Amino acid sequence: MTVALRGHVTSMFQCSCLHCQKTSGGGHSSVILVPTEALLSTGTTKSYSRPADSGATFTRHFCPECSTTVYAKSSRAPSLCIVPVGLLAGQNNWFDPSQLIFAVTQPAWDLVHEVLPRHDAYRVDETR
């Protein structure tokens, strides 16, 4: 499987929801949002859907060979893909998160920079 991104990143943030903690194996996930058409992948993925706390359906798409999450989608924002920035390891030094969401479940041992704005859930004024 190969993955490429084209175009501009819509948003960069970190998420400390319990699902992201389980997926990342740490206290948060670092992700980017890109328009769906900006994500180019070859090969097939498997997916897992679950209800999100927001009422949306959240679907992770992962490699069937190694189980790496390739991208995720929320029914809240169907025109966007959520891509783990770690997928771009070695080529992601441009990552500059603008916020931490679900800070209410961030573990005390997870050291996220203190100047990063924190929100206890999704921000009300945006779809990301």
Side-chain angles (χ1 to χ4, degrees):
M1 160 167 275
T2 62
V3 177
L5 295 173
R6 291 199 181 142
H8 297 284
V9 171
T10 303
S11 184
M12 301 181 217
F13 61 93
Q14 295 177 316
C15 179
S16 284
C17 78
L18 297 177
H19 293 285
C20 280
Q21 289 181 40
K22 289 176 185 176
T23 300
S24 71
H28 67 274
S29 288
S30 297
V31 298
I32 57 174
L33 290 180
V34 298
T36 299
E37 63 273 6
L39 178 71
L40 309 170
S41 65
T42 61
T44 58
T45 61
K46 290 199 173 201
S47 62
Y48 173 75
S49 296
R50 64 169 176 80
D53 292 339
S54 67
T57 299
F58 192 85
T59 304
R60 288 191 191 274
H61 297 266
F62 56 93
C63 174
E65 297 296 318
C66 68
S67 299
T68 298
T69 298
V70 178
Y71 67 96
K73 291 191 72 79
S74 171
S75 63
R76 259 180 105 216
S79 64
L80 297 171
C81 285
I82 304 159
V83 179
V85 75
L87 189 65
L88 308 170
Q91 300 175 23
N92 58 10
N93 61 350
W94 45 265
F95 181 69
D96 186 21
S98 64
Q99 62 185 313
L100 173 69
I101 61 172
F102 293 97
V104 68
T105 51
Q106 179 195 12
W109 52 261
D110 184 42
L111 304 178
V112 173
H113 201 286
E114 63 275 356
V115 300
L116 198 62
R118 286 162 164 68
H119 306 280
D120 286 342
Y122 291 112
R123 291 189 48 192
V124 177
D125 62 335
E126 61 184 13
T127 60
R128 26 197 179 285

